Structures are given as C-alpha cells and as structure tokens.
Amino acid sequence: MRIVMIGSGYVGLVSGACFADFGHHVTCVDKSEAKITALEAGEVPIFEPGLDAIIQQNREAGRLDFSKNLAPSVGEADVVFIAVGTPSRRGDGHADLTYVYAAAREIAAAVKGFTVVVTKSTVPVGTGDEIERIFREEFPEKDIAVVSNPEFLREGAAITDFKRPDRIVIGTEDARAIEVMREVYRPLYLNEAPLYFCERRTSELIKYAANAFLAMKITFINEIADLSEKIGADVQKVAKGIGMDKRIGDKFLHAGPGYGGSCFPKDTLALVKTAQDFDSPVRLIETTVAINDNRKRAMGRKVIAACDGDVRGKKIAVLGLTFKPNTDDMRDAPSITIVQALLDGGATVHAYDPEGMEAAKDILGPITYGKDPYEIAVDADAIVIVTEWEEFRALDLKRLKTVMKDPVIVDLRNIYPASEVAKHGFGYFAIGRKPERR
Ligand code: UDX
C-alpha cells in the first residue's frame, strides 16, 4: 500500500513510521520546512522511546520518506491520513478544524484514482461528513471515500500502543474503503488486534468518549484520594481494592496532581462544547474538567501547607516538569500551575526534568534549572515530586537529607513508601495517604 501522512507531528510521525515498519510505503508530509529538513537529516523532532530507530531503519529500507509538498505523493497514494493539529480554539474551547479542512482541500485537488482519506486527528463528530461535503461540492469528479480512524496512542508508549492496540476503530460503511483499511492494518490483524468497524460518526465519538472516560476515572480517584486523606484511608489500597473488580478495572486509577498533556484537557473540553451545541450536555465531563483545573492549583497549596503554610523566601526543588514521564511534552502539565503557585507564594523554585527542561523554559516563569535532583536539593526547604520519572523512584534519601535545609518531600505521584521516607527523618506528604510529619 502507498500511504501518505499529512502532518508530521506526534501522531503523524509515530503512525507513519509504524505503517512503514509494517511494510507499506509511507510519505510523511509537513508544511514546516524546518521539520522536513530535520527529518531528512535524520533528526527526530519529538522524544518518543524507540521512534528514531524505526524511522532510521525504514528510511534505509526505502519505505519511509518526507516531503513538504503533498501533491506528488497523494497522486500515487491508496490512503491519505490527515494527522494535523486540532488545537482548542481560542475563546470557546471548540476544536479548531482550520488545518483539517485546509488539508482535505489540498488532498482532494491532488488525488488521481480512488483514494481513501482518513481522519486520524481527533475531530468532533460530523467532521467526516463535512469533509465529504467539501469533496462532493468542490471536487465532484474525484473518487474519494472518507473514513474515521482515531488514534489511542499514549505518549511515551506510542510504539507499543500502535503495534499492540486493544482495538483499531474504523468508521466507514463504504465497502471499498473497508477493504483498503483491512489491508492497511493486515499486519496487526494477523497479530489478532481486533478491527472494529462502525459508522463514521460513531467512530468519531468513540475517540472523545474514550478519553473523557479515562479523564473521569482519574478525576474520580483524585477525589477519593482527597477524601482518603481526610478520613485516614489509603487511596492506593482503595484503588487496588476497587480495581480488582473486573467491571471497574485497575488501570487509570493512580491518584496524582491532575491529568495534563495534549489530549485529555483538549478533548474533554471539546466534548463538553459539542454536547452543549447538540443540547445534550455531558455534566459528568463538565464537572471533570472543572475539578481537574482546580486540582492543579490545589497542589500548589498542598506544597505550601507542607512547608508550614508559608513558602516566602523558601527554596523549593521540583522534580519532574513534563505532564508524564518518557516525554518532553509540557502541554497542560500540572507543573505549570504548581510552579506558578509557588512563585506567587514568594518561593524560589529550582527544577530538574530528564527531558522537559528545554520546552519548560518557554513556558515557566523565572526559575532555575539544575542537572540532577541532588543539585537542586542543596539548601532546599522541600522537594516536590511532580512527574514520576524512573530515576526519581530510588533517590538516595540519605544524601538528600544531608544537603537539604529542611527534609520535606511532597510526593504528588505516590512513588515512595511513607515508612521508608520517614525512617530517614523526612516529613513526607503524599496524595490520599496519611502524612508523616517530622
Ligand atoms: C492519552 C490516552 O491515554 C491515549 O489513548 C490518547 O489517544 C491520547 O491521550 P497521553 O495523554 O499520552 O494519552 O497520556 P496518558 O498516559 O493517558 O496520561 C494522561 C494524563 O493522565 C497524564 O497527565 C498522567 O499523569 C495522568 N494520569 C494517567 C493520572 O494522573 N493517573 C492515571 O492513573 C493515569
């Protein structure tokens, strides 16, 4: 199959590289000349474990190339994926579809024979219909089927998620498109990954409903965590206890500082707006969005409370800035709000993150960056663990205690056993568990 991927951002690059790895011929297109030049020079503009090796192997095998112009490759393609950004529109929170429709028009102009055009970007319900209308009215002579095929890739685990998906959702009722999509995903089908065919609108809603449900699950356990703290229960044990019920499941029940990233905040908001437009509000999700926003600020207050209610003039060491480990992505990261709350409270903030510091520099206020946890802990009044990077899981507590001014750890990801930290003489404040005071 000849595949063209429009948009070489996170989703486009991972999907394009993995399709090439299946044996298809893939051209990844992007309007950014700098991005294409970098990719052609062998540089991968995002941090995703394993991606650079797959890109390199498939370029060498002649199955993967990059281009700034979509027309030549689209003319030859069996399938064209639209994987351009759909940011939240400024002002109203709706998904901004400008790039999607612009790409669709360009594709239609370049298409030659029968071509399947697939939306991989997360698009509101009805976007496929609108693209089809554009094709029908503006390009009536072209033979194009429009399909929805949402992605469910987690940053940091995207290659595994692509190659071992729980399911592949494909929204189309067009018989020719169904055959083409079967062929595209045949290598996974042989791996027994279920292909789930449904109507296009249903497929579009599945994506939003899946992300909203996961965001709600996280928010649920975060509220149970707050309650646990107040009533003396342990949220990790509660999560385990309810997660053993197969109807609930044990995934996405880690209490923390609130969800962030490029998907959950944007997609929950877009679903809320769509539902309001259709006069069918999704109140659970509206509440989820509000709780999660408040939570990030509340985490700042939690740190201040752990520092005896006042951080003015104190030094706080922040471990982890990205919205989750194994990514350099800072989009909607809880660290942004937490750091701001600490700065507002008069603290000086020193931070370290294994991959996110470059991106953080453009976003965070006046803070100091260090080269490792021990450096930023020198003379600190508290350490705050915001992101659960592997290298933070086994810190040398003895060493930290000797360099810190005041041995306090606020663990917003619950990665330490309280008794172990307390044994070293630290004050320890976690999420949804009993604090250990010095
Ligand atoms: C998510 C979805 O998982 C993926 O299927 C979708 O297509 C894109 O959005 P991603 O944003 O990369 O992926 O990360 P994910 O692992 O889902 O985490 C999102 C946020 O939720 C992070 O901030 C993470 O720290 C938080 N989270 C996740 C929790 O706080 N607790 C959990 O139990 C799980």
Side-chain angles (χ1 to χ4, degrees), residues 151-152 154-155 207 252-254 260 263 323-324 413:
E151 56 85 15
F152 301 99
R154 284 166 307 162
E155 289 188 21
K207 167 68 190 198
F252 277 67
L253 284 179
H254 297 291
C263 288
F323 81 96
K324 62 184 257 186
R413 297 290 184 167

Side-chain angles (χ1 to χ4, degrees), residues 10 122 151-156 161 167 207 211 214 218 221-222 251-265 267 323-325 332 334 388 413:
Y10 190 82
T122 300
E151 56 85 15
F152 301 99
L153 309 175
R154 284 166 307 162
E155 289 188 21
D161 283 355
R167 79 312 202 182
K207 167 68 190 198
N211 274 356
L214 293 171
I218 297 167
I221 203 66
N222 283 343
K251 304 271 187 333
F252 277 67
L253 284 179
H254 297 291
Y259 60 79
S262 63
C263 288
F264 288 172
D267 294 350
F323 81 96
K324 62 184 257 186
D332 275 311
E388 68 278 32
R413 297 290 184 167

Side-chain angles (χ1 to χ4, degrees), residues 5 7-16 46 83 120-121 151 153 162:
M5 191 64 64
S8 298
Y10 190 82
V11 172
L13 262 190
V14 171
S15 309
I46 53 167
K120 215 167 219 334
S121 305
E151 56 85 15
L153 309 175
F162 196 95

